[in-house]
Amino acid sequence: MASPTSVGILGSTGSIGTQALEVVASCPDRFTVVALGAHRSLELLVEQVRRFRPSVVAVGDAAAAAEAAPLLPAGTDLLVGDEGLSVAAAMADVCVNGVVGFAGLTVTVAALGAGRRLALANKESIIAGAPVVARALATPGAEIVPVDSEHGAIHQCLRAGARTEVARLLLTASGGPFRGRTAGELAGVGVDEALSHPTWSMGPKITVDSSTLMNKGLEVIEAHELFGVPYEHIDVVVHPQSIVHSMVEFVDGATVAQLSRPDMRLPIGYALGYPARLPAPFGAIDWADLPRLEFEPPDRSTFRCLDLAYEAGRTGDLAPAWLNAANEVAVAAFLDKRLAWGGIADVVEGTMDRYPGAAASATTGRSMADVLEADAAARRQAGALVAAWERSR
Ligand code: MG
């Protein structure tokens, strides 16, 4: 039998990270964990290190790292800060990036720059950092296999035909907890309501993004970046049961779909094992117990974030970075009860109105510094809009 694939999991204490470890544990002959990393959730991280015995563990937060040091077993080296996360990301055959938000960009670039496979759950890095990520992806051996369930589905569906035969990508959306409600009904909904997703169990940031359809908007940009399909050939279909995870329509009219119960361990396992399929059947369907499958168009006027994302994607360059930063600020303010749910789209739209654009000549060869600067500038704009919103209450 071939030697096991080495796996590094960054963001190991989050929703994606803990499920990635379940997948690894289900196939102990195939995978070995060599690196784990988290920002500062120490208790769980130390427990994971004791169980999986990686050769390194990276802790993003310096104070948390100092606290972790005496708790680690012999044989596990401690790495600290962004640099530590980068070293850990470059170590394994496959790096799972389960970091939340823009902070995941470091991990994405480090793994690809080292010629590794990136099992990508951190969509923000490819959206905000597209120009930088594209360069890192040119490193021999580097590849991205998406963990996002929709993109994992498309990755699978694309195996049914040639790239030149693809007519369009159809991303499915559950519609989130607020499907079918009007903007007026939703203006003042609370954090608890936004966090109760009907089909998927995920972290708070992405769950709020699902409630606004920004998650789907970000996924449209992600699909464009991953698969090189123009925006006019990427559509969104609401499918409340979350059984069809996305589809590809080919030029002859055939649509190929990937179906399974909503279980993130399937796309995680697919990204770890590709091109092989793992013998652990996560998400297999019981056809005797399947709900009726429904499909409907998204309500674009209530869920404005979807078209804001399309617009940023079509603008290109650093506009997706602005969109992502504005959204992170708005969602954090909402979770903090400083912004109403209906204010999220307002803050994102207001920030995008202030996007400076760029001369066409300046849009090639974007550096990491350009991306970081755009991210910071958009955060300042969005922060000011949140503050103005708070004053106006
Ligand atoms: Mg998704």
Side-chain angles (χ1 to χ4, degrees), residues 115-187:
R116 304 303 190 180
R117 172 183 301 170
L118 177 67
L120 182 67
N122 176 270
K123 66 189 70 154
E124 291 88 346
S125 57
I126 193 172
I127 292 163
V132 178
V133 172
R135 271 201 302 283
L137 190 53
T139 310
E143 67 173 339
I144 299 176
V145 182
V147 163
D148 210 347
S149 60
E150 294 80 359
H151 306 77
I154 290 170
H155 196 276
Q156 295 175 62
C157 297
L158 285 172
R159 293 167 82 173
R163 288 302 171 99
T164 52
E165 295 167 342
V166 172
R168 60 177 174 152
L169 309 181
L170 291 139
L171 288 165
T172 51
S174 70
F178 303 145
R179 185 177 62 89
R181 290 165 73 175
T182 64
E185 289 167 2
L186 292 171

Side-chain angles (χ1 to χ4, degrees), residues 16-43:
I16 292 291
T18 52
Q19 294 182 83
L21 285 169
E22 286 177 35
V23 173
V24 166
S26 73
C27 300
D29 300 339
R30 294 195 185 219
F31 304 116
T32 173
V33 176
V34 298
L36 292 175
H39 187 58
R40 61 163 151 242
S41 301
L42 270 198
E43 201 177 322

Side-chain angles (χ1 to χ4, degrees), residues 141-233:
E143 67 173 339
I144 299 176
V145 182
V147 163
D148 210 347
S149 60
E150 294 80 359
H151 306 77
I154 290 170
H155 196 276
Q156 295 175 62
C157 297
L158 285 172
R159 293 167 82 173
R163 288 302 171 99
T164 52
E165 295 167 342
V166 172
R168 60 177 174 152
L169 309 181
L170 291 139
L171 288 165
T172 51
S174 70
F178 303 145
R179 185 177 62 89
R181 290 165 73 175
T182 64
E185 289 167 2
L186 292 171
V189 289
V191 171
D192 292 349
E193 290 170 89
L195 287 182
S196 56
H197 196 279
T199 50
W200 290 102
S201 160
M202 306 175 290
K205 198 267 176 178
I206 186 171
T207 305
V208 173
D209 284 346
S210 293
S211 79
T212 61
L213 287 198
M214 179 58 95
N215 183 53
K216 210 49 55 181
L218 294 173
E219 288 179 351
V220 167
I221 302 174
E222 181 185 8
H224 171 80
E225 293 298 336
L226 285 173
F227 305 117
V229 173
Y231 285 100
E232 59 269 31
H233 299 304

